Amino acid sequence: GLHMGGETGDRSSPRAMVLLLHGLGRTPVSLRRMARAIEAHGFRTLNLAYPTRTLGLGGLIDFVRGRLQEVERPDDVLPVLHGVGHSLGGVVLRALLADPPPPWRAGRLVTIASPHRGVRLVAPLLRSRAVCRWFGPVLADLAEGHAEPSRPRPLRELRAERLLTMRDLARLADVAPSTIYLTEVGRTT
């Protein structure tokens, strides 16, 4: 489904929209708490469901683009679209914000544990018909070297060595306009 949040309260100035996309096999419920926290900081949110297990990467990007074109932008929302994506959602958002559908302009992007360069583990999994049926056609697109869509605008990478809080994510909204990737850093003991 489609849930647009942040509609409560009297706001006199336009707000930016944040599109949230969940990961493979998940639903918008997995990002509901994050959506509420983002709304508490004055943004409107769009927590979109999309068919992660039935389409390939290109089909998912087209699906989300089509859903965005169907959304009537409320008067109190700027035509700037920010994105927060978890895992596969970050890969889809990265490609989408490189060329957003009208009337939207690309804003900032935060991806969480997104396999932008693909996943090494996928190649051996592709030999299993059961795994391919379960994860769907997008699995092959996530193989190492396949998931890298065209690079959007300037890139800043933030390496998180601890779990980020909602306050940390809210502070990222104040970073100079650029695309930010949260990259997992292995722990050494």
Side-chain angles (χ1 to χ4, degrees):
L2 185 66
H3 170 72
M4 191 174 301
E7 299 180 43
T8 59
D10 180 33
R11 303 269 183 185
S12 57
S13 61
R15 299 180 283 160
M17 176 70 75
V18 179
L19 174 61
L20 292 99
L21 289 183
H22 57 80
L24 179 61
R26 303 299 302 246
T27 69
V29 172
S30 63
L31 295 175
R32 189 178 294 157
R33 284 181 55 197
M34 184 176 292
R36 287 184 191 135
I38 291 169
E39 290 163 10
H41 287 279
F43 293 90
R44 290 289 293 265
T45 62
L46 184 59
N47 193 0
L48 185 66
Y50 64 113
T52 61
R53 293 175 46 208
T54 59
L55 298 171
L57 184 58
L60 293 172
I61 294 163
D62 290 342
F63 179 89
V64 173
R65 181 182 306 286
R67 292 302 302 269
L68 274 174
Q69 288 173 324
E70 294 171 5
V71 172
E72 189 171 321
R73 187 175 57 84
D75 291 338
D76 69 333
V77 173
L78 297 168
V80 176
L81 184 67
H82 302 297
V84 175
H86 171 251
S87 191
L88 174 61
V91 175
V92 171
L93 277 168
R94 180 179 179 193
L96 184 78
L97 289 178
D99 183 26
W104 301 105
R105 290 189 328 260
R108 296 180 179 110
L109 172 63
V110 175
T111 70
I112 304 163
S114 296
H116 295 290
R117 294 184 180 106
V119 180
R120 190 174 315 137
L121 176 65
V122 168
L125 292 176
L126 292 173
R127 291 185 223 127
S128 167
R129 278 191 267 191
V131 169
C132 290
R133 275 193 311 271
W134 177 258
F135 288 106
V138 76
L139 186 65
D141 294 330
L142 295 177
E144 193 169 40
H146 288 78
E148 181 99 18
S150 63
R151 268 203 141 66
R153 299 184 333 266
L155 169 67
R156 280 188 63 183
E157 186 168 318
L158 172 66
R159 295 190 173 273
E161 297 195 17
R162 63 180 171 76
L163 185 62
L164 295 175
T165 65
M166 296 315 308
R167 179 175 282 150
D168 294 328
L169 290 175
R171 285 184 191 138
L172 289 176
D174 294 328
V175 175
S178 63
T179 301
I180 301 171
Y181 297 99
L182 299 181
T183 306
E184 180 181 352
V185 175
R187 294 175 79 170
T188 56
T189 56

